[in-house]
Amino acid sequence: MVINGVNLPDIDVADALAMERYEHAHDNVAKAMDDLHPEGKRQSELIRAQCTAVFNFFNEVFGEGTDKKVFGESVNLTTCLNAYEDVIKAVNALGTKLGNMYKGKSSAINNHRGKRHKQYNHYKKPLKPATK
């Protein structure tokens, strides 16, 4: 995926560990935004706090130092939120693609099973005693 002009690896949405890391990082951003108390803070402090949450997300998901690759020294809220949203959209698209792929496979397996093989319970046959 390309985020802010930087090539980053796609998140493997079929891998539980990769998705746990992504979900944890996503939860951390949500928590940081919820914990933001704007009363009495300067606009620059709020921008920095929100961008730091996004920087941490990128580092947690893609590895330490990714924030510097994607954002450089910029601490621009619009750039941060757009990049964060782009990752979410990319993951959602990958998840949809994966879901469609498995729906297709499941459908093909069920069609194959129904057309070529009759369901037969072999265990309903009485067992014959073993002969010596």
Side-chain angles (χ1 to χ4, degrees):
M1 75 180 71
V2 178
I3 305 295
N4 208 23
V6 177
N7 282 324
L8 296 176
D10 286 341
I11 297 169
D12 187 352
V13 296
D15 183 273
L17 292 176
M19 286 308 296
E20 284 172 349
R21 187 172 53 248
Y22 167 79
E23 292 163 346
H24 184 261
H26 183 65
D27 291 346
N28 286 342
V29 171
K31 183 177 179 343
M33 298 300 177
D34 287 343
D35 290 348
L36 209 59
H37 300 289
E39 304 83 23
K41 290 188 180 165
R42 301 179 73 137
Q43 188 69 23
S44 59
E45 292 176 288
L46 297 171
I47 292 169
R48 190 167 303 282
Q50 291 173 83
C51 284
T52 297
V54 173
F55 297 159
N56 292 339
F57 169 85
F58 274 86
N59 289 336
E60 187 173 348
V61 173
F62 299 104
E64 201 59 41
T66 302
D67 63 328
K68 295 298 180 196
K69 291 177 191 172
V70 173
F71 302 103
E73 296 302 316
S74 175
V75 184
N76 181 292
L77 185 58
T78 301
T79 303
C80 289
L81 293 179
N82 286 340
Y84 178 62
E85 181 181 24
D86 288 346
V87 172
I88 292 169
K89 286 179 180 177
V91 168
N92 288 342
L94 290 167
T96 299
K97 183 178 176 183
L98 180 71
N100 290 337
M101 183 178 78
Y102 283 119
K103 281 181 196 172
K105 287 183 184 227
S106 174
S107 180
I109 289 169
N110 288 335
N111 287 340
H112 174 73
R113 186 180 300 151
K115 289 179 182 173
R116 295 195 63 199
H117 303 289
K118 290 186 176 181
Q119 296 294 325
Y120 183 73
N121 185 348
H122 297 282
Y123 297 104
K124 287 188 177 182
K125 288 174 141 181
L127 293 175
K128 294 181 182 175
T131 56
K132 291 185 182 182

